[in-house]
Amino acid sequence: MASKKPFIKPFNDILKTNYDVLLVTLDQKSARIQKFHGSQIIQEAKLRIYLQGRHRKGGQSQGRFLRARQTKIHVFFKKVANKVRMMDSNSELLLLGGIGPAKTEFYNKLDSELVKKCRFVETVSFSTPKNDIDEKIIHHLYQHRQKYVREIIEKYKNLVKEGLTAKRNNIIFKALEIGAVDTLIVSANYHTTSQFKNIMKMMEIAKNTSAKIEFVVSPKIIKKLEIDDSVLAILRYRIK
């Protein structure tokens, strides 16, 4: 409790971070890969190589030394990228942190699927406190989910003409009961409306039929879509 009102921000943060997120912190000779679920680290791996800092007099030329050094870094980053792929299962985001140019060099070793999930995180190093890391994960997840919801809304608009959407609650109920709903779009304020019980039933049926449930938080979008006391649905197929 905070004063006379409950302080609910921590609960919002827990909900926002209830996803798997990979955080890779690295420089040119060491890497730490952490897999977060919520604020908990559920998997961690550390990799390291010996890397000579500067060319010494005698022996190979400086140019040869630098090429050998760069090859060693290249092989190391490939090894780290392979480990990231192994740990990536079901991750929502891949965050890249670390001081210096290593992030950019490593980014070029990622495959196309990981590149889609990848975000650069500034001011994260091996010594960054976990509380600061949690805040950065929340920030990037919030931005990611905002973008994702915008894409869902755009998809809904594009499918209206094809008859693959539903807007009225009674039609959505019918579509849910026959498993025709792909995505249910719900206002995050659904619990404050007169249709609360009906929307709860719809979400329960959606879960049982493997339909996705997406919550809209933005008041502007909620007003524009007119979903204060109703929901929207993207359908798997047309219904009569």
Side-chain angles (χ1 to χ4, degrees):
M1 301 290 287
S3 68
K4 295 180 181 179
K5 295 182 179 180
F7 184 63
I8 62 170
K9 188 176 185 300
F11 296 100
N12 284 334
D13 288 351
I14 289 167
L15 291 172
K16 286 177 190 173
T17 57
N18 195 27
Y19 300 93
D20 288 347
V21 175
L22 278 177
L23 172 65
V24 180
T25 309
L26 77 170
D27 54 29
Q28 291 182 327
K29 60 185 179 181
S30 54
R32 183 180 65 200
I33 309 165
Q34 296 169 305
K35 188 169 188 175
F36 287 82
H37 182 76
S39 60
Q40 301 299 313
I41 298 171
I42 58 173
Q43 198 175 354
E44 185 169 10
K46 295 179 181 179
L47 296 90
R48 187 175 179 84
I49 57 168
Y50 171 73
L51 198 64
Q52 190 175 320
R54 61 178 65 184
H55 179 248
R56 294 173 184 170
K57 291 182 179 179
Q60 60 184 334
S61 68
Q62 184 166 355
R64 200 184 210 172
F65 166 80
L66 291 174
R67 286 193 299 273
R69 189 177 190 273
Q70 198 57 43
T71 298
K72 199 169 184 179
I73 293 169
H74 170 78
V75 172
F76 174 62
F77 283 164
K78 290 286 283 185
K79 187 176 179 181
V80 175
N82 287 335
K83 189 66 176 177
V84 170
R85 273 192 292 274
M86 290 171 61
M87 294 173 62
D88 176 58
S89 177
N90 298 320
S91 294
E92 191 89 0
L93 282 177
L94 167 61
L95 303 181
L96 280 187
I99 297 171
K103 292 195 295 288
T104 305
E105 294 177 37
F106 175 71
Y107 178 83
N108 294 326
K109 306 296 183 291
L110 298 175
D111 62 31
S112 57
E113 289 303 311
L114 289 174
V115 164
K116 289 176 188 175
K117 301 179 180 183
C118 190
R119 306 286 186 276
F120 287 89
V121 185
E122 301 303 323
T123 65
V124 167
S125 67
F126 293 107
S127 60
T128 302
K130 187 175 177 301
N131 286 345
D132 292 351
I133 289 174
D134 289 343
E135 286 182 10
K136 290 180 185 298
I137 289 174
I138 290 168
H139 171 72
H140 282 276
L141 265 175
Y142 182 72
Q143 289 187 327
H144 172 70
R145 296 301 298 177
Q146 272 191 320
K147 180 176 180 289
Y148 180 74
V149 170
R150 285 197 299 269
E151 289 170 353
I152 291 289
I153 300 304
E154 196 60 35
K155 181 181 178 181
Y156 174 88
K157 291 176 181 177
N158 292 336
L159 292 174
V160 169
K161 293 179 181 179
E162 297 179 33
L164 290 173
T165 63
K167 191 171 183 179
R168 288 166 52 191
N169 286 354
N170 61 329
I171 295 174
I172 294 173
F173 257 119
K174 177 184 173 183
L176 284 165
E177 287 170 350
I178 61 175
V181 174
D182 175 78
T183 305
L184 199 65
I185 302 170
V186 184
S187 163
N189 300 325
Y190 73 94
H191 59 283
T192 64
T193 74
S194 60
Q195 291 292 310
F196 168 69
K197 290 183 179 179
N198 285 335
I199 294 173
M200 282 290 291
K201 286 179 185 176
M202 284 191 268
M203 289 195 292
E204 187 176 340
I205 299 171
K207 287 180 181 177
N208 292 333
T209 56
S210 300
K212 297 185 286 291
I213 302 172
E214 299 295 345
F215 292 98
V216 178
V217 178
S218 168
K220 188 183 292 185
I221 296 177
I222 291 171
K223 185 177 180 181
K224 187 175 181 180
L225 296 176
E226 299 178 343
I227 54 173
D228 276 321
D229 56 357
S230 63
V231 299
L232 301 177
I234 295 174
L235 305 178
R236 294 183 173 125
Y237 52 85
R238 290 187 183 189
I239 58 173
K240 294 182 179 179

